[in-house]
Amino acid sequence: MSNLSNPKSHDALFKWLVTAFTQEFFAHYFPEIRIGKYRFADKEFISRYEALKESLKGDLFLMMEVEMDDGLQEVFIQIEHKSRREEVAERVHEYACYAWLLKKKPVWSMVIYTDDAIWQKPVRDSFCYAFDSTHRKQYHYFDVIKVKAEKSRELMHKNSLLCKLLALKADDRDADPEQLVYEIYRAGAERMEHLDNDQLLLLEQWVSFYKKVSDQQAEKIKKEVNMESVATTISEHIFHQGIIKGMEEGRAEGRAEGRKKTALNLVRMGVDIKIISQATGLSEEEIKQISSADAISLS
């Protein structure tokens, strides 16, 4: 079997982080704002604006209830992730216009920078898009989050697994890299029964991607806090769960459709195409077609 925690790009990893810990993300960065129900709208947005698909791979779109005007109101949230410093004010405004046209709802835009540089000057947080006869300018404002502006040691003291993971991308000049990894794995072990498979796999992939210790040191820490076999155990569980789910759906929708659903589940997990073929009875060509058809939702 291939690595089920499938190598992901920097953009995809951060998008995965926000989707896996959405409540914790808003609680950390916007603690004064009350949020309610939410759902992800990436697929709907990209389906409408297919031409933007490639440029939006690291971005995230949500429909979320946010407290406004003394009550919860549904807003369209646009989260743009940047792994390097660049001015994106115009782009943010452009996509906010698309978002408004799609849902005719208030749009809340934010840009998250996770580059490793220590900035001397901030980037713009607004874009001038119009003015009236008196030359009063009208601006589209958005939130700018700079992860490197946060201190790793402070993040590690917060009771949030998302914050502990962010510590690996924050300003770690006064932190011990080995201690950071230890605290993350220890927190994961303590919360094990409250974390779902997706969150556990993200934890493993995130640490593997951003840790500043050797693989040997990381494995030693995992063993010490009883996290040694989590990735393997969870991966096997998801693999078998995917097969069982497909079989159950197959009874209701027909064996052929059930096999396709199983294949789709396993494709999304990053299982090797040969293993999927053996598990479902579908040819490798059929699986490739299923994967291609699902490409938008995987973006």
Side-chain angles (χ1 to χ4, degrees):
M1 185 184 300
S2 66
N3 181 4
L4 294 190
S5 52
N6 204 27
K8 291 177 177 285
S9 69
H10 183 72
D11 283 349
L13 266 175
F14 195 85
K15 185 173 180 177
W16 191 4
L17 179 73
V18 178
T19 56
F21 294 99
T22 306
Q23 293 279 4
E24 289 190 28
F25 173 82
F26 282 92
H28 174 54
Y29 286 113
F30 308 101
E32 73 286 356
I33 295 179
R34 179 188 168 203
I35 63 172
K37 297 178 181 179
Y38 63 90
R39 61 182 175 82
F40 298 102
D42 297 60
K43 185 174 181 179
E44 185 177 0
F45 189 90
I46 296 174
S47 294
R48 173 72 176 272
Y49 306 114
E50 173 70 21
L52 303 176
K53 176 182 173 183
E54 286 302 312
S55 63
L56 293 174
K57 281 188 174 180
D59 298 346
L60 196 61
F61 296 89
L62 300 90
M63 290 298 300
M64 177 177 283
E65 291 181 342
V66 177
E67 188 169 8
M68 297 174 63
D69 303 323
D70 299 321
L72 286 174
Q73 180 176 333
E74 194 173 46
V75 302
F76 199 25
I77 300 177
Q78 166 202 6
I79 303 176
E80 172 145 351
H81 172 245
K82 304 304 297 181
S83 56
R84 60 187 176 88
R85 175 175 177 143
E86 60 180 299
E87 292 285 354
V88 292
E90 182 176 352
R91 168 188 162 110
V92 171
H93 173 67
E94 179 185 357
Y95 290 170
C97 290
Y98 284 129
W100 187 86
L101 287 171
L102 179 64
K103 285 297 182 181
K104 301 293 178 68
K105 298 281 187 180
V107 179
W108 177 9
S109 303
M110 65 185 76
V111 183
I112 304 168
Y113 290 90
T114 57
D115 58 295
D116 291 328
I118 304 295
W119 293 357
Q120 299 302 316
K121 296 180 179 180
V123 297
R124 285 192 296 162
D125 63 355
S126 64
F127 179 75
C128 179
Y129 65 91
F131 62 88
D132 60 20
S133 60
T134 64
H135 303 290
R136 287 183 302 180
K137 295 180 178 179
Q138 299 178 38
Y139 291 89
H140 172 61
Y141 292 94
F142 52 91
D143 289 289
V144 173
I145 297 171
K146 169 63 170 165
V147 176
K148 202 69 174 182
E150 302 180 77
K151 296 290 186 181
S152 295
R153 291 186 65 178
E154 294 176 4
L155 288 170
M156 292 306 295
H157 287 125
K158 293 183 178 292
N159 186 30
S160 162
L161 188 53
L162 172 131
C163 288
K164 295 182 189 300
L165 291 170
L166 285 173
L168 292 182
K169 287 296 295 173
D171 184 353
D172 61 357
R173 289 176 293 180
D174 60 349
D176 177 359
E178 189 170 338
Q179 186 65 26
L180 292 180
V181 174
Y182 176 86
E183 290 297 333
I184 290 171
Y185 278 135
R186 184 177 64 83
E190 290 176 350
R191 295 167 171 77
M192 186 80 69
E193 61 184 44
H194 302 294
L195 299 175
D196 61 32
N197 297 334
D198 187 60
Q199 291 171 325
L200 285 168
L201 284 170
L202 167 64
L203 184 155
E204 179 66 23
Q205 188 68 70
W206 185 275
V207 174
S208 176
F209 203 82
Y210 294 123
K211 63 180 171 54
K212 293 183 179 179
V213 300
S214 67
D215 291 342
Q216 291 77 9
Q217 286 176 296
E219 289 301 318
K220 180 181 178 182
I221 293 170
K222 288 167 66 176
K223 185 175 182 180
E224 185 177 343
V225 299
N226 200 29
M227 286 278 287
E228 186 178 20
S229 61
V230 168
T232 301
T233 302
I234 296 301
S235 296
E236 290 177 350
H237 174 71
I238 291 178
F239 176 71
H240 293 300
Q241 186 181 57
I243 293 175
I244 292 171
K245 181 180 178 182
M247 288 179 175
E248 290 175 344
E249 291 172 337
R251 295 192 193 101
E253 301 180 27
R255 294 181 62 187
E257 188 64 25
R259 288 199 300 271
K260 289 179 181 179
K261 285 185 175 291
T262 299
L264 180 57
N265 289 335
L266 299 178
V267 163
R268 288 174 173 173
M269 295 169 204
V271 180
D272 185 85
I273 192 169
K274 288 187 171 66
I275 299 294
I276 300 176
S277 179
Q278 292 171 5
T280 62
L282 299 174
S283 68
E284 293 185 17
E285 185 59 37
E286 288 175 307
I287 296 167
K288 289 178 182 177
Q289 290 175 359
I290 291 171
S291 179
S292 297
D294 192 55
I296 291 179
S297 62
L298 293 176
S299 300

